[in-house]
Amino acid sequence: MTEQQYGYFDDQHKEYVITSPFTPTPWINYLGNDGFYGLISNTAGGYCFYRDPKFRRLLRYRYNNVPADQGGRYFYLKSADTVWSAAGRPVQTELDHYECRHGLGYSRFIAKKAQIRSELTCFVPLGQTAEVYRLELTNLDAVSRQVSLFSLLEWCLWNAEDDGANFQRNLSTGEVEVDGNVIYHKTEYRERRNHYAFYGVNHPIRGFDTDRDSFLGPYRGFDRPLAVERGQAGNSLAHGWSPVASHHIDLQLQAGQSQTLVFVLGYVELPNDQKWAAPGVINKAPAKDLLTRYDSAQKCQAELDRLQQYWLSQLNKFQIETPDKRFDRSLNIWNQYQNMVTFNLSRSASFYESGIGRGMGFRDSNQDTIGFAHMVPDKVRERILDLSATQKKDGSAYHQYQPLTKKGNANIGGNFNDDPMWMVLSTVNYIKESGDFSILEARVGFDDEPGDFTHFEHLKRAFEHVVNHLGPHGLPLIGRADWNDCLNLNCFSEDPNESYQTTQRGASDVAESLMIAGQFVLYGNEFVALCRHTGRTELAAWAQQQVDNMVEAVNQHGWDGQWFLRAFDARGRKIGSAENDEGKIFIESQGFCVMAGIGLGDGRARQALDAVSERLACEHGIMLQQPAFSGYDKYLGEISSYPPGYKENAGIFCHNNPWIIIGESMLGRGDQAYEYFARISPAFLQEKQRLHKTEPYVYSQMIAGRDAATPGQAKNSWLTGTAAWCFYTASQYLAGIRPDYEGLRIDPCIPARWPGFKAQRTFRQALYEIEVRNPQGLSKGRVELEVDGEAIEGNLIPYARFGGRHRIVATLRTAD
Amino acid sequence: MTEQQYGYFDDQHKEYVITSPFTPTPWINYLGNDGFYGLISNTAGGYCFYRDPKFRRLLRYRYNNVPADQGGRYFYLKSADTVWSAAGRPVQTELDHYECRHGLGYSRFIAKKAQIRSELTCFVPLGQTAEVYRLELTNLDAVSRQVSLFSLLEWCLWNAEDDGANFQRNLSTGEVEVDGNVIYHKTEYRERRNHYAFYGVNHPIRGFDTDRDSFLGPYRGFDRPLAVERGQAGNSLAHGWSPVASHHIDLQLQAGQSQTLVFVLGYVELPNDQKWAAPGVINKAPAKDLLTRYDSAQKCQAELDRLQQYWLSQLNKFQIETPDKRFDRSLNIWNQYQNMVTFNLSRSASFYESGIGRGMGFRDSNQDTIGFAHMVPDKVRERILDLSATQKKDGSAYHQYQPLTKKGNANIGGNFNDDPMWMVLSTVNYIKESGDFSILEARVGFDDEPGDFTHFEHLKRAFEHVVNHLGPHGLPLIGRADWNDCLNLNCFSEDPNESYQTTQRGASDVAESLMIAGQFVLYGNEFVALCRHTGRTELAAWAQQQVDNMVEAVNQHGWDGQWFLRAFDARGRKIGSAENDEGKIFIESQGFCVMAGIGLGDGRARQALDAVSERLACEHGIMLQQPAFSGYDKYLGEISSYPPGYKENAGIFCHNNPWIIIGESMLGRGDQAYEYFARISPAFLQEKQRLHKTEPYVYSQMIAGRDAATPGQAKNSWLTGTAAWCFYTASQYLAGIRPDYEGLRIDPCIPARWPGFKAQRTFRQALYEIEVRNPQGLSKGRVELEVDGEAIEGNLIPYARFGGRHRIVATLRTAD
């Protein structure tokens, strides 16, 4: 029995096509590129914001609502007595045809009802602070028809947290202006805000509404507004309560006639001395300018073309063609697209992150760069230096910083001891991609010691932070937690209203992490290599010694017999050991120790990964640990607070599955690596849409594990480090196209059944057309390299000059 | 033209009867008395909590939603194909009859549809941690009918803030158990919580649902659940996402037959060692005990009777009978009821306060006691000592404290310089009411100096705090703000995301408040009197000198020529002066200076109140200031951030209207005082229900003023100091029945047209039956007093012994 399907990939248009408004959860897309972002569901629900989803939110959205997904860009259509929504909801009228096409930076909604076809295209033009909605209406009937159209947006009163809490104030503050076809939202503009929003249309209107209750009618939902039922707007002016923006337009469409309208939802900031045109009258000039840019269907199309060109040029930096279409569409389109979205929004605003609580994560943002550095390396450089500036002088990091201020967020806490070393990864990956060693000399102060330091100094402090925080076994102290936020070995919480991330008991001198140990060896070796590359030989030697000591400590104390231990707790007891009744084996230390090369020479790496395969892998992916914790243990913390099979308590945390995949690729086990990849990669899961629940075109943070009541059910889609890690893994370790300081390395690890594959890769402004041949049916092998027809030694294509275009043939051969 | 009416008073049953489910805003009631409270709208929407509306919330509620008022105690009824709601919503089916009766501690909903009558009574039994819903169904038809009944509650995951924000976690945590007819909600019980909730019914069920999506169906609202449409529950077990509780019961009712079901939503806390009956199985014994208490209609009725007796005994402590029924019902029923609710919940949970951000206010809670001390003086004593314990050793106060911990809330800030003196008011009023001087000797530490101090010492520090914080004119420094939170003379904010209450710039040595000056004189005199009463003559003399100095400072610097100034700002400029273009006159300083007696002897008090009448009074009440501020002024702060006519920017802040009314009563202008009272008092506003918008049986915080787009529209009902002040004013200054140290003073100030009135008053366990006679048509006069038939000198009835019952006749005479 096949499960119900809700959509499919349209690779030609680089779109995912959703065929039902009733997806298991709202399936969303992101609009915007440069500070102005919108979240848009498959029925046009969602909101947008400028730079900060908490403090500059334009539209009101209701998380966790009933019905789901309330608030968005709504267009009500009415012909005769039939009322429907151009995007399939909120009106519940069944459509004759519905289609949502999530594309790269735009979403398109096609509906047919009552012989009227509508096509709504929503996008943020490049570099613009506006969402544009192009709505084309076509009369499919043989006779002329009248159509009434009502737009509707609901304004958020800018501060999204306050908007949902401080009713005593904000029911009295809402203010609007209406000028012709344009509705201006100016709440708090009278005081300290120097920004307003507007909603305009390039067509005369018959009426408008700005007061929600007037438009909807008492106790009605978005699904049946009174004004639409009545066929007439109320021309209401909002004073407090809930301001909205609705245009009412009546159209007469001849048989077969199409008409296109363009709506613009824009955001304007003005210097204080230019806020007003007259006392109490806002300066509308910038809004009018902006409206003029999109006041015809033609101008709109030109902007859409520009947007598409932008995305094509980004995606073209890496394209692959293998025997597996699913692998290709994943890497070529959706994974890269998700990488950019994740990089831009860094966990701060999704349908699972409300945009209020979270800033930019230090470790998250560093990791996100590894999926994105090949696309816009300049932005990565900027991000790394932003992160660097929030580091403290002892090398430690705030766990998060605020996007508006770029300052570390003291409320969220720090002391996660894996944080610092992620900056080594991001920097090294950036330099290898770009060749830009100058980032090391960039001047960056510390959060608690402003001044003239090099970014290299920051990396050194990061490295030293680990060295200076070793525990009794010579292993790194875990601090508040390591990558696994929920493994809280130093916080013995008994108060259910206490957050594990902010409680003041965050460190001991005892609890140690094998995950950080592996991470230190892996990125410590990278640090050593970087020192050598930049002539810091003395430092390199010292650092090498520290890394060697760590390897020794892992070998002495970190091996449990069949796999790597996970940690020592605050009482010195083993975590992730065969000794434990529950949580005998964890994924993170297996992944990081093997990636670091520990045990590669003596079979322990293979043994550890075999244990993973035997004990942690299930049909939906690799679980975080096993067996699940059956009850709460205050010495373990939040991990044991989840029901078994969910989240960190033996859920499949997709973020760390790639670590095992990279490990497998280092062992040359390409079939196993590929199989793991396929279990969590959305393009491979199309048969499971209903079970999986979340968007089947992007990664989710977590898939419920074997112990759960609902194994295979995913949660927390889009903004997850999984995307960056999966792209990094698949492109650099499976396809094996791996930037290095001196050039591009080709070192694939693929399913043995593949006869080969092709790829194109832009690397430092040169284009490489790569063909990998696998005549012997290998997963991994010695690579014979031919560059522009010429055989070269080794697997490294040397750096090529700007604008070059090179043809590479790489043939896998058995080692002998 | 009469406006649409939505309801009326039923004085006989002490109920307000609402006749439409479509009131302008949800009109609510409160259930519960002792730690467990529910908010319930006129369609049974709302939620309940135990002790803390943020950390112990049982039901999920969505503030600011579309449609309004989503989440509540829902009962779906289905007969043949008709589906409706027992409380008029969320199902939108029009009923043949609808009625909501908000009573004292219960709400009753009567509906008729499809020949089925339902009567739903919701209440919290006295002292219980449960809401009980008694549902009686009657078949009005001449033939037997089948009725399907589906209950529905949605669980909040306890921490209401987290529940609306932390989706990454809480979509994975939800857990339930189902055992027979009882659904247990045990999210986080597996870890640090030692409390769970349950929802049971005293009747076998045909099925149940605990997973919201299974019950409602995809993308459906509460208005049309799929399970009800289908006529069959899904027996779903929630794992994460959104757990709910729904029972499905099918009933066959013969012609004319009634059947009564009892549902109980209960809350259970257990010691850690008694949490579990077996591994993973919660200890259900306390829930079962609790269910047994209400497992029949008879037991329910007995509890309802007990509840009613409780309320009658409370209200009977003050009852009045005047020529104006509106005045009587206000004082006898709704104002006293609102006083208790306000006292219990102190601004923390209403349909305008989300229950998340606010703790118990220091000044608010002190003021609330003055409307409540005559009802349960013991609770007032406890509250005052709780407040006292949060005071700092320098006499200052945290602005709020947390109800669970009773600790001051450092996040909300302090430094509101009027805060300390309110504790003098509450204490003096309590002692006068109860005669309990021992509260002064109660042992209470300071927040920052635990130790053995008397409560009297706290009052002294409060007094000293003002003396130690005087500005250049010898007037009190305003600090962060005084009673008017929004008059921020020391916070020059230009960042719209900054709260005026917490920004770190909260004080200068210049900005002074005339409101605090008047407050200091008024309660300073009370402090002096208290010192004298308790033999502290030396302190009394010193304190009197300070008060005299303050009067002198007000006389010298605080009189603007026709009224009292409001303040000096941080630059030493006048606020609330004829010199100003806007904000020339403010209400607070007129009220407090006149109440303090300043200018009574020389005509300035009269002049000030005449200015109020001329410049601040409008048909809907007395505005806070005039003229309204037309634009933002950072030297004034939040007051100028509101659109004119709303909130502190020239809105009618009902809380301070009584100060003027008391002032007028001191001048003997009873007609004017009564007229002011009638403008804001709900019982007088029944013709304005639609305009007023909020509940027409309780006070709202604010009514929009003359400058607003919607003058007369109210906001922020229920939890406002207005209730306490109005009761205090009407009972002690209009009716003039005023407790004093030595006895009960009778000093009315009434409309001259009243021939008199009757009242009964319980005072220190004695009952006084009072008749006031006004043969000369006076507003105020010399009082001739007859106690139990015997004439006595003066207007003070001496304290009577426990259990006494006394008949008082007080006759108003002209002074000569």
Side-chain angles (χ1 to χ4, degrees), chain A residues 23 25 65 89 92 168-169 171 192 219 224 241 353 493 495 638 641 647 701 713 715, chain B residues 23 25 62 65 89 92 168-169 171 192 219 224 241 353 493 495 638 641 647 701 713 715:
Chain A
T23 46
T25 57
N65 208 349
R89 274 192 295 123
Q92 300 261 359
Q168 195 193 117
R169 172 175 166 83
L171 294 178
R192 295 167 294 170
Y219 297 95
R224 47 183 205 112
W241 303 98
E353 289 295 344
S493 174
D495 175 359
E638 188 167 5
S641 78
K647 292 282 288 176
Q701 176 208 52
Q713 187 183 78
K715 283 184 181 128
Chain B
T23 46
T25 57
R62 294 162 178 83
N65 208 348
R89 274 191 295 123
Q92 301 261 358
Q168 196 193 116
R169 173 176 165 82
L171 295 178
R192 296 167 293 170
Y219 298 95
R224 48 185 206 110
W241 304 99
E353 290 294 344
S493 173
D495 175 358
E638 188 167 4
S641 79
K647 292 283 287 175
Q701 177 208 52
Q713 187 183 79
K715 281 179 182 134

Side-chain angles (χ1 to χ4, degrees), chain B residues 160-178:
Chain B
E161 184 172 32
D162 208 60
D163 186 69
N166 189 3
F167 305 111
Q168 196 193 116
R169 173 176 165 82
N170 67 29
L171 295 178
S172 285
T173 54
E175 290 188 292
V176 297
E177 277 184 43
V178 180

Side-chain angles (χ1 to χ4, degrees), chain A residues 707-744:
Chain A
D707 307 281
T710 56
Q713 187 183 78
K715 283 184 181 128
N716 310 331
S717 54
W718 278 102
L719 300 178
T720 163
T722 311
W725 271 102
C726 277
F727 181 78
Y728 176 80
T729 300
S731 65
Q732 297 201 18
Y733 291 88
L734 300 184
I737 303 170
R738 189 152 72 242
D740 211 333
Y741 293 117
E742 313 299 342
L744 197 59

Side-chain angles (χ1 to χ4, degrees), chain B residues 165-216:
Chain B
N166 189 3
F167 305 111
Q168 196 193 116
R169 173 176 165 82
N170 67 29
L171 295 178
S172 285
T173 54
E175 290 188 292
V176 297
E177 277 184 43
V178 180
D179 180 22
N181 310 338
V182 190
I183 295 162
Y184 293 86
H185 176 228
K186 58 171 190 177
T187 297
E188 294 189 340
Y189 190 73
R190 65 162 44 247
E191 43 140 334
R192 296 167 293 170
R193 295 200 180 272
N194 65 344
H195 50 87
Y196 64 76
F198 62 90
Y199 193 33
V201 57
N202 67 340
H203 191 279
I205 60 175
R206 205 182 125 186
F208 63 86
D209 271 298
T210 70
D211 176 61
R212 190 180 76 199
D213 267 13
S214 303
F215 180 79
L216 293 182

Side-chain angles (χ1 to χ4, degrees), chain A residues 60-63 65 70-71 154-157 159-173 212-213 216 220 222 240-244, chain B residues 26 47 61-70 350-354:
Chain A
R60 186 175 277 169
Y61 188 76
R62 294 162 178 81
Y63 280 90
N65 208 349
Q70 294 288 296
E154 188 181 11
W155 303 112
C156 182
L157 306 182
N159 179 335
E161 185 172 32
D162 208 61
D163 186 69
N166 189 2
F167 305 111
Q168 195 193 117
R169 172 175 166 83
N170 66 29
L171 294 178
S172 285
T173 53
R212 190 180 76 199
D213 267 14
L216 293 182
R220 287 173 177 239
F222 290 122
W241 303 98
S242 295
V244 299
Chain B
Y47 62 95
Y61 187 76
R62 294 162 178 83
Y63 279 90
N64 206 8
N65 208 348
V66 179
D69 194 19
Q70 294 290 295
S350 75
F351 271 34
Y352 301 92
E353 290 294 344
S354 65

Side-chain angles (χ1 to χ4, degrees), chain A residues 387-424:
Chain A
L387 290 163
S388 188
T390 70
Q391 195 187 26
K392 298 191 190 180
K393 62 185 175 189
D394 72 352
S396 69
Y398 286 102
H399 205 46
Q400 289 179 19
Y401 73 97
Q402 288 297 336
L404 274 182
T405 61
K406 295 187 174 176
K407 290 283 175 205
N409 186 347
N411 294 335
I412 302 295
N415 205 18
F416 294 77
N417 281 352
D418 66 314
D419 274 341
M421 286 301 285
W422 293 112
M423 202 158 62
V424 176

Side-chain angles (χ1 to χ4, degrees), chain A residues 104-276:
Chain A
L104 306 174
Y106 66 88
S107 288
R108 183 168 291 146
F109 306 88
I110 298 158
K112 286 184 205 166
K113 186 72 189 177
Q115 297 294 319
I116 303 294
R117 179 185 190 277
S118 62
E119 185 176 314
L120 169 67
T121 306
C122 303
F123 67 105
V124 172
L126 282 173
Q128 198 50 273
T129 59
E131 286 189 352
V132 175
Y133 315 133
R134 184 184 68 182
L135 179 62
E136 186 186 37
L137 296 174
T138 306
N139 178 5
L140 304 177
D141 209 349
V143 296
S144 169
R145 296 191 70 121
Q146 207 215 296
V147 183
S148 290
L149 167 68
F150 294 81
S151 68
L152 181 69
L153 297 175
E154 188 181 11
W155 303 112
C156 182
L157 306 182
W158 301 116
N159 179 335
E161 185 172 32
D162 208 61
D163 186 69
N166 189 2
F167 305 111
Q168 195 193 117
R169 172 175 166 83
N170 66 29
L171 294 178
S172 285
T173 53
E175 290 189 291
V176 297
E177 278 184 41
V178 180
D179 180 22
N181 311 337
V182 190
I183 296 163
Y184 293 85
H185 176 229
K186 58 172 190 177
T187 298
E188 294 189 341
Y189 190 74
R190 67 162 42 248
E191 42 141 334
R192 295 167 294 170
R193 294 202 180 273
N194 64 345
H195 50 86
Y196 64 78
F198 62 90
Y199 193 33
V201 57
N202 67 341
H203 190 281
I205 60 175
R206 203 181 127 190
F208 63 86
D209 271 299
T210 69
D211 176 61
R212 190 180 76 199
D213 267 14
S214 304
F215 180 78
L216 293 182
Y219 297 95
R220 287 173 177 239
F222 290 122
D223 56 332
R224 47 183 205 112
L226 189 61
V228 179
E229 199 170 294
R230 217 166 38 201
Q232 180 59 55
N235 295 345
S236 59
L237 283 169
H239 299 282
W241 303 98
S242 295
V244 299
S246 172
H247 306 93
H248 170 198
I249 293 171
D250 282 344
L251 298 171
Q252 192 70 37
L253 294 175
Q254 301 308 313
Q257 189 193 343
S258 287
Q259 186 157 355
T260 300
L261 305 171
V262 184
F263 293 81
V264 179
L265 164 64
Y267 171 91
V268 167
E269 266 186 18
L270 282 165
N272 276 333
D273 59 354
Q274 293 171 34
K275 280 174 71 172
W276 304 100

